[in-house]
Amino acid sequence: MLNPSESSVSATYGPSTASIKLLTLAPELPSSTALTTALTQPPYNIRVSLGHSTASYATGLSALQAGATCLTHVFNAMEPLHHRNPGLAGLIASSSSSEVEKKEETKPACYYSLIADGIHLHPATLTLAFRADPTRCILITDSIEVAGLPDGLYPGNAQVAHPQRKAGNRVTVEGTETLIGSCCGIDDC
């Protein structure tokens, strides 16, 4: 993981970013606001999504104001929704970033993705989030490489070094309840 900075764009992706259309970043990291602004404007024109984050609601609103337009797999790899501190998940209910006080320019409300496999989110949570604004909700899957294979133990890989236990459509780190992913295609969701 690299801390966000404009110089890390070319260092990370090389001189051409033409094939990059969307990336996810944690808005609470140093320099992420400046990076978001830079990435969403020429010459990059990359859509920025927020995720894998411990950011507060206010930090998320600031990132939307800087140009972010999406939330990556809401409720997963982010702080849980709390009634007094909604975190990034609370942004699904915001109608626009005009909630950021003293900002003249308003941005459209963000899109948000939900992993709709019945494993990552309880059905009630999925329904609640989907109903917040179905026109901005993107249903996705978190299907991983062992999809279609029989239940059993599989070796780790470059992304998850630990052995992976597949049981039905659920894949966990062997010997734990830590969810690695699922084996559901979007048509199964």
Side-chain angles (χ1 to χ4, degrees):
M1 287 284 191
L2 298 172
N3 277 332
S5 72
E6 271 192 77
S7 63
S8 72
V9 175
S10 60
T12 302
Y13 301 108
S16 175
T17 58
S19 63
I20 302 170
K21 306 301 179 205
L22 173 77
L23 65 77
T24 297
L25 60 78
E28 73 277 13
L29 295 178
S31 303
S32 65
T33 301
L35 180 61
T36 298
T37 300
L39 288 173
T40 57
Q41 297 176 3
Y44 301 119
N45 297 315
I46 297 171
R47 293 202 180 267
V48 172
S49 189
L50 310 176
H52 295 268
S53 173
T54 60
S56 68
Y57 181 81
T59 299
L61 283 174
S62 294
L64 293 180
Q65 194 65 36
T69 57
C70 192
L71 301 174
T72 299
H73 48 60
V74 175
F75 302 114
N76 292 276
M78 64 177 55
E79 290 294 304
L81 181 67
H82 185 274
H83 65 287
R84 290 195 186 103
N85 181 18
L88 290 182
L91 294 172
I92 66 172
S94 68
S95 58
S96 75
S97 60
S98 61
E99 294 178 42
V100 178
E101 293 182 26
K102 301 180 183 177
K103 298 281 184 178
E104 293 178 17
E105 180 185 352
T106 61
K107 304 281 183 182
C110 63
Y111 290 91
Y112 57 97
S113 64
L114 299 170
I115 303 173
D117 59 11
I119 296 169
H120 284 79
L121 299 176
H122 187 279
T125 305
L126 179 63
T127 300
L128 176 76
F130 179 78
R131 287 182 180 169
D133 191 338
T135 64
R136 294 184 293 123
C137 183
I138 303 164
L139 299 177
I140 64 170
T141 181
D142 189 34
S143 188
I144 64 171
E145 72 279 358
V146 297
L149 298 176
D151 287 358
L153 186 63
Y154 293 91
N157 56 45
Q159 188 174 9
V160 180
H162 306 286
Q164 303 176 24
R165 171 66 62 187
K166 179 179 184 286
N169 284 328
R170 183 180 179 90
V171 184
T172 57
V173 171
E174 171 64 10
T176 74
E177 289 298 314
T178 302
L179 186 63
I180 295 173
S182 69
C183 295
C184 299
I186 197 67
D187 55 335
D188 296 323
C189 295

